[in-house]
Amino acid sequence: MQHLRFLQYVDAVARCGSFRGAAERLHVAASAVNRRIQDIEDELGVCLFERLPRGVRLTTEGELFVAYARRRQADLEGVLAQMQALKGLQRGTVKLAISQALAPSFLPRLMGQFQRSHPKVDFEVKVLDHALAIEALQGFEADVGMVFNPPVRHGLDVLAKMPARTCAVMAQGHPLAQRASVGLKECFAYPVVMPDASLAGRAILDRVVSATGLHPNVVLQANAFELMFGYLRHSQAIGFQTRVGDEAPPGLQWVPIQERRLHAGTVALLALPQRVLPACTAAFAQHVAHCMAEA
C-alpha cells in the first residue's frame, strides 16, 4: 500500500506539472514529493520528469510509468469497491465523463433513479466534449464515459449505445415552436445558433448545410449549451441539439427536423477494454444500458 501511495505522487506531479502543485493536491510538503520521485527514479534507473525552469514535464519513460501507476490505482479502487460490496455496504463513487448534451436532463434522471436503490453511492461527473471525455477514460480520470458520436477508432469497449437525433431548439414562444416538425430551410429563415467545432453535433450540421447549399445567418457559435440555451430563451433565433430523453431545457421547445440528409447520431456508453469496474460503477453501467435499450 505504501508503494501505491508513492505511485500517487508520480500521478499528481504529472497532472499538476510541478512538485509544488502536487504537494498542495496531496497535502504534503513539496520536499517530500521531490524526495519520493527521486527515490523512484533511482530505483528504476531512469528520469521520469524533465526539470524545467518552471515546473516539470514527463519524459518518454515517465509517460510509460505514469500509465502503469494509473492502471494500478484504478485496479486498487475496483478491488476495494468489490470488497465493500461483499460486506453489503453498497457504497462507492461512480466516476463519469460525459458529453454536454447528456448533462441537462438525461444523466441526472438516471443518477436519481439509481440512488433511490443505492443511497450510499455518489457521483463524480466531468462534462467534456467527446474527444476530452475519451482522454479522461484513457487517463483513468473516469471509469465510464457517455459520449455522442465517438470516433470509430477510440480503443474503448462499447457497453451500450442508442440512436440520438438532432432537433431544432427554440423559445417556447417562437413562431415555429408548436409545429410537429420543421425543415432546415424554415429554420434558416431565422437567426441561427450553432455549436462550435469542439462539439460532435457541429460536424453533422456542417455536412448537411454543405449538401443542401443553404446559407444560415449564424449569430452565435459557442462550446457551451447553457450559453446557447440562454440566448435562445431571449431571442427569435433557432439552435440545434442532440435530443436525448423527453425533456427540453426549461423555457425551450424541441421540434423534430424533417431533412433526409440529417442522419441520426449515436450516444455510446464506453469503458476501457478489460477494465474491472468498481462494483457500484458496474451496477450503474447496467442501469444505464437498460435505460438506453428502452430509449
Side-chain angles (χ1 to χ4, degrees), residues 9-23:
Y9 285 30
V10 177
D11 181 35
V13 174
R15 294 189 190 280
C16 297
S18 71
F19 293 125
R20 184 178 298 277

Side-chain angles (χ1 to χ4, degrees), residues 94-176:
V94 178
K95 297 180 181 179
L96 295 160
I98 67 165
S99 294
Q100 286 195 48
L102 301 162
S105 62
F106 185 72
L107 182 63
R109 176 167 58 83
L110 298 187
M111 291 191 296
Q113 291 171 348
F114 188 76
Q115 284 180 317
R116 282 195 284 275
S117 57
H118 300 79
K120 295 181 180 180
V121 171
D122 56 75
F123 293 87
E124 290 182 11
V125 182
K126 296 178 182 292
V127 180
L128 306 164
D129 67 61
H130 66 301
L132 290 178
I134 289 172
E135 287 184 16
L137 281 173
Q138 293 172 332
F140 294 92
E141 297 177 56
D143 295 323
V144 292
M146 293 178 66
V147 300
F148 177 63
N149 275 9
V152 176
R153 296 183 179 180
H154 46 64
L156 299 170
D157 285 342
V158 178
L159 306 181
K161 61 182 179 180
M162 68 178 182
R165 293 194 174 277
T166 302
C167 290
V169 188
M170 62 201 75
Q172 289 179 343
H174 193 281
L176 301 181

